[in-house]
Amino acid sequence: MENSTILVVDSNPKNVQILRENLEVTGFEVIVASDGLQAWQKISAGEPNLVLSEVTLPKLDGFQLLEKLKGDPTTSSIPLMFLTSRRDLQDRVRSLRGGVKDYMIKPLHVKEVIARIRMI
């Protein structure tokens, strides 16, 4: 998955910066969005190879973004990983049933995120 394009979606600029820097050093191309609607527009326009998203987002939350992604035949095969502060078991189960490839709870270790990306 080296040289793949990853869309990072998070409303916290510091989280985006840390992920972007570490992913780019590892060889990934990174695009970013600060809310769910902007993320959907970028997915529709360029179809990244993977989406890393917070669940709690303005405009469209992560669950709504996941539904749109999986509901559209042109984007349904793009894997999505949630990197989130939400610890609730119901959120994790809902995500996995909805088609999320992974659900990681913040604080994150970037090396683990990259290892999980490579597994996908």
Side-chain angles (χ1 to χ4, degrees):
M1 192 155 189
E2 302 299 301
N3 302 318
S4 295
T5 301
I6 298 176
L7 172 60
V8 176
V9 190
D10 198 316
S11 58
N12 182 325
K14 186 164 179 80
N15 291 341
V16 171
Q17 178 186 357
I18 291 167
L19 280 169
R20 172 182 240 160
E21 288 172 0
N22 284 280
L23 290 169
E24 286 177 345
V25 164
T26 308
F28 296 104
E29 182 180 328
V30 178
I31 54 177
V32 300
S34 58
D35 64 61
L37 188 58
Q38 186 182 54
W40 177 245
Q41 291 166 344
K42 291 188 178 200
I43 291 166
S44 299
E47 294 188 27
N49 301 100
L50 173 68
V51 178
L52 302 179
S53 179
E54 170 61 72
V55 174
T56 306
L57 294 169
K59 299 187 182 170
L60 276 179
D61 71 19
F63 294 118
Q64 292 167 315
L65 181 62
L66 175 63
E67 285 175 29
K68 288 178 86 60
L69 185 77
K70 295 303 175 189
D72 185 329
T74 60
T75 61
S76 63
S77 65
I78 299 171
L80 186 142
M81 285 175 57
F82 280 144
L83 310 179
T84 184
S85 301
R86 293 172 68 154
R87 300 177 175 279
D88 189 50
L89 176 62
Q90 289 177 325
D91 286 340
R92 285 182 277 173
V93 170
R94 178 180 175 193
S95 300
L96 294 168
R97 284 186 178 154
V100 163
K101 290 294 180 189
D102 206 345
Y103 190 104
M104 297 182 70
I105 298 171
K106 295 175 183 175
L108 301 166
H109 298 280
V110 175
K111 287 182 180 181
E112 182 182 6
V113 173
I114 291 169
R116 290 180 185 227
I117 288 169
R118 288 194 171 126
M119 284 183 1
I120 294 172

